[in-house]
């Protein structure tokens, strides 16, 4: 599918409204899934309001925790208790607070020997969960994939100009050199794996993001613009991040 042909943009007032709108979308996807559901989380500051909300009522009681599985789109190659760890952040903000069954959280194993190894192990876990080594667009891997965008246009740990952008076969790859700080090696899901979802939801807030959102929407060749979805592709912005002409 050509990137971004199906993009929907939603603009809400502020960070609080973003967290609530994202929580609504997540609950809807979980309800649709009926049985086992898979959510791919993201790092960064933008999803933190959502994560906090999920640990609080009324949201907490609306999530069928026992049947939801949690993955992460990318992580820094650091231990989970390091403040830089994306899965560590999600655990602290909500997963640990609500007592998610241990087997329902599938972190990138950053205690592996190196990022390549961690990528292979995580790919194996995801393929086992999916039950096949090839993705079938008619049977998405995820119900919801959360994404963010960095000031340079990166998304997950897919940085401008790096070769991981062109990966078509592997679902998870090591990233030896990050494109921006923190300068630690990363592990990231690839575009085809991230695309295998009923919905990809970008969460973007703050005036500091307005220019990069404008560039992505204008069709510049940036990683966040290359991200595509086999299902819905939604950009959820607050007013501060929304470029001219996208104020909802
Ligand atoms: C990471 C994230 C990354 C993030 C963007 C946006 O590991 O850093 O997964 O891709 O989503 O950098 O980050 P903010 O939400 O903090 O702006």
């Amino acid at each position: 599918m050509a990137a971004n042909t199906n993009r929907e943009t939603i603009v809400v007032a502020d960070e609080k409204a973003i967290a609530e709108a994202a929580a609504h979308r997540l609950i809807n996807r979980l309800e649709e899934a009926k049985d086992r559901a898979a959510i791919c989380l993201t790092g960064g500051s933008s999803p933190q309001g959502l994560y906090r909300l999920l640990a609080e009522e009324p949201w907490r009681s609306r999530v069928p925790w026992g049947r939801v599985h949690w993955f992460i789109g990318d992580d820094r190659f650091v231990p989970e208790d390091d403040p830089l760890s994306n899965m560590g952040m999600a655990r602290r903000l909500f997963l640990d607070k609500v007592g998610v069954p241990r087997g329902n959280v599938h972190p990138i194993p950053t205690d592996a020997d190196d990022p390549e190894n961690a990528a292979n192990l995580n790919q194996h876990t995801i393929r086992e969960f999916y039950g096949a080594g090839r993705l079938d667009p008619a049977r998405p891997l995820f119900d919801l994939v959360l994404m963010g965008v960095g000031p340079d246009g990166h998304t997950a740990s897919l940085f401008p100009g790096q070769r991981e952008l062109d990966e078509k076969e592997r679902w998870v790859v090591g990233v030896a050199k990050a494109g921006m700080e923190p300068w630690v090696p990363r592990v990231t899901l690839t575009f085809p794996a991230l695309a295998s979802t009923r919905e990809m939801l970008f969460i973007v807030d703050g005036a500091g993001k307005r220019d990069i959102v404008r560039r992505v929407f204008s069709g510049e060749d940036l990683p966040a613009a290359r991200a595509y979805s086999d299902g819905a592709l939604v950009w959820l912005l607050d007013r501060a991040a929304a470029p001219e002409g996208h104020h909802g």
Side-chain angles (χ1 to χ4, degrees), residues 25-227:
R25 301 192 75 86
L26 184 130
I27 298 294
N28 285 344
R29 291 293 168 186
L30 295 180
E31 280 171 3
E32 266 172 35
K34 292 194 177 65
D35 194 8
R36 187 182 76 162
I39 307 290
C40 186
L41 300 169
T42 180
S45 55
S46 315
Q48 293 187 7
L50 165 67
Y51 296 171
R52 286 197 185 91
L53 219 51
L54 294 176
E56 291 165 15
E57 297 299 349
W59 300 101
R60 181 178 175 145
S61 299
R62 295 187 63 191
V63 178
W65 298 102
R67 65 174 177 88
V68 188
H69 289 256
W70 307 91
F71 297 83
I72 191 99
D74 75 306
D75 219 327
R76 290 83 180 266
F77 197 68
V78 295
E80 256 189 34
D81 60 4
D82 187 301
L84 292 178
S85 166
N86 287 340
M87 193 54 119
M89 181 264 285
R91 282 200 200 269
R92 283 188 298 279
L93 293 182
F94 79 109
L95 295 170
D96 286 350
K97 291 194 171 163
V98 300
V100 172
R102 266 185 88 81
N104 288 24
V105 184
H106 308 276
I108 288 168
T110 51
D111 52 356
D113 291 347
D114 54 42
E116 273 306 308
N117 243 296
N120 289 338
L121 289 167
N122 189 231
Q123 174 171 282
H124 181 77
T125 302
I126 299 175
R127 286 185 171 170
E128 259 193 352
F129 177 85
Y130 184 64
R134 287 206 84 78
L135 293 163
D136 174 1
R139 190 171 69 84
L141 165 60
F142 298 115
D143 293 285
L144 182 69
V145 170
L146 301 178
M147 299 277 260
V149 60
D152 58 346
H154 82 265
T155 189
S157 281
L158 297 158
F159 294 95
Q162 294 198 356
R163 62 163 192 253
E164 295 83 29
L165 299 180
D166 298 315
E167 180 61 50
K168 301 278 187 295
E169 298 300 322
R170 296 171 66 197
W171 297 10
V172 192
V173 293
V175 180
K177 211 172 167 322
M180 64 176 280
E181 39 176 24
W183 302 106
V184 287
R186 318 284 188 104
V187 178
T188 189
L189 268 64
T190 58
F191 284 131
L194 293 163
S196 183
T197 180
R198 295 188 191 281
E199 174 172 333
M200 177 179 282
L201 180 65
F202 276 85
I203 302 182
V204 190
D205 60 16
K209 290 289 168 69
R210 184 181 293 177
D211 191 54
I212 193 64
V213 175
R214 180 190 58 73
R215 290 172 60 196
V216 169
F217 285 10
S218 72
E220 225 180 283
D221 183 16
L222 293 162
R226 285 205 201 180

